[in-house]
Amino acid sequence: NNNNNGSNSDLNNPLKRKLWQLRMKRNEARKLNKKAIIEEYDKLNKTDVQISRENREKYEKKSKKRKREMIETFRNPKSSFLYESAEYAQIQKKKKRKTDKPFGWNVFNDNTLYTAYNKRINKIPKNIGFINNTKKLTNVNSLNYAQNNCNNNNDEITEENIDNMVNELNQQIAKRNKFQRRRTYYQDADVSYINKRNMVFNKKVERAYGKYTAEIRANLERGTAL
């Protein structure tokens, strides 16, 4: 009781109360500085795997929040693109153009396949057909709407167009034979191979005999093997 009364009497003094407040602010600033130093150190010493995991968690959290908001406003989360403005879609399209080449399973997503389809179309010569009567274009319900007529006959396909199609297909076949999906490479992973073929072989051996050699490998790493 005497100590409490003494502390209260000290705080009643304006100068001592001011000194006590400054001391509390100094302690708080010391804690914040220490916390900031630890956070900066952890941020600078994170591995690529940790950074990618954190980015993935942020993306999933943001996606769940957006999905929940769409459900609450009676919108279909699977068709979120229907609620985007044309300006927003153009901005997203420009951002995708600036990104790096597709990596891993991204080579099979819709956007990459669409880009590859456009490249194939641009290699094929444009149709040389023409429209005889442009007035027919105004009647969209007509069976002859936008009917293209070739130089010789409507049902006849020129040899040149057939050759172009065959050449394009042969190019695609040759390109797919050389295709190899880029796989994820972890920089911090243990290197136990001398080339790519040896890496694949070591993975197969690990899957087959890893559980039987785990103890021996641990002893070798610790230096306690007999």
Side-chain angles (χ1 to χ4, degrees):
N1 295 333
N2 294 333
N3 294 333
N4 294 334
N5 294 332
S7 61
N8 291 333
S9 61
D10 291 341
L11 294 178
N12 290 331
N13 189 335
L15 294 177
K16 292 184 178 180
R17 187 188 311 113
K18 186 68 175 178
L19 181 63
W20 179 80
Q21 292 175 352
L22 292 174
R23 189 181 295 114
M24 292 296 101
K25 290 182 179 179
R26 185 187 63 183
N27 292 339
E28 184 67 20
R30 186 187 297 113
K31 292 179 181 178
L32 294 175
N33 288 338
K34 186 176 181 180
K35 182 180 179 181
I37 291 172
I38 295 174
E39 291 178 354
E40 185 177 3
Y41 176 82
D42 293 339
K43 184 177 180 181
L44 294 176
N45 290 274
K46 286 181 180 177
T47 61
D48 295 338
V49 178
Q50 291 175 334
I51 294 173
S52 61
R53 186 185 297 114
E54 290 181 358
N55 292 336
R56 183 66 182 177
E57 291 176 355
K58 291 180 181 178
Y59 173 78
E60 291 178 353
K61 185 177 180 181
K62 186 177 179 181
S63 299
K64 290 180 180 178
K65 182 180 178 182
R66 179 174 174 81
K67 183 178 180 180
R68 185 173 62 253
E69 292 176 351
M70 295 189 71
I71 293 175
E72 291 175 354
T73 54
F74 304 100
R75 293 180 293 176
N76 187 5
K78 295 182 180 180
S79 303
S80 59
F81 58 90
L82 296 177
Y83 310 103
E84 297 175 355
S85 62
E87 183 179 1
Y88 177 80
Q90 290 292 336
I91 294 174
Q92 294 299 318
K93 189 174 182 181
K94 290 181 180 178
K95 286 183 179 180
K96 288 182 179 179
R97 291 176 181 174
K98 295 179 181 179
T99 55
D100 297 333
K101 293 182 178 180
F103 186 83
W105 284 106
N106 289 330
V107 296
F108 302 115
N109 62 22
D110 294 338
N111 184 63
T112 307
L113 295 176
Y114 177 72
T115 304
Y117 174 74
N118 282 334
K119 288 181 179 180
R120 291 183 62 183
I121 290 177
N122 293 331
K123 292 180 181 179
I124 300 175
K126 301 295 187 294
N127 188 9
I128 59 174
F130 60 93
I131 299 173
N132 288 336
N133 189 0
T134 56
K135 293 182 179 179
K136 292 182 180 180
L137 292 174
T138 58
N139 186 6
V140 295
N141 295 321
S142 174
L143 295 177
N144 296 325
Y145 173 70
Q147 182 180 2
N148 290 339
N149 297 323
C150 297
N151 293 329
N152 299 325
N153 192 351
N154 291 338
D155 298 330
E156 183 179 352
I157 301 176
T158 61
E159 293 292 335
E160 183 181 359
N161 291 338
I162 296 176
D163 293 339
N164 290 334
M165 182 188 69
V166 173
N167 292 333
E168 198 275 335
L169 292 175
N170 290 333
Q171 290 176 3
Q172 288 299 317
I173 293 172
K175 188 175 181 181
R176 288 172 183 174
N177 290 333
K178 298 178 182 179
F179 174 77
Q180 186 176 11
R181 180 170 62 87
R182 295 181 178 87
R183 286 164 173 78
T184 306
Y185 172 73
Y186 295 103
Q187 187 175 1
D188 299 330
D190 295 334
V191 178
S192 60
Y193 51 87
I194 57 176
N195 52 35
K196 190 171 183 180
R197 184 176 180 181
N198 182 239
M199 178 183 68
V200 176
F201 176 78
N202 290 347
K203 287 183 178 180
K204 293 180 180 179
V205 173
E206 177 66 22
R207 284 197 298 267
Y209 305 104
K211 59 183 179 180
Y212 304 110
T213 60
E215 184 178 357
I216 299 174
R217 186 167 60 252
N219 292 333
L220 290 173
E221 291 176 355
R222 290 193 302 266
T224 58
L226 297 177

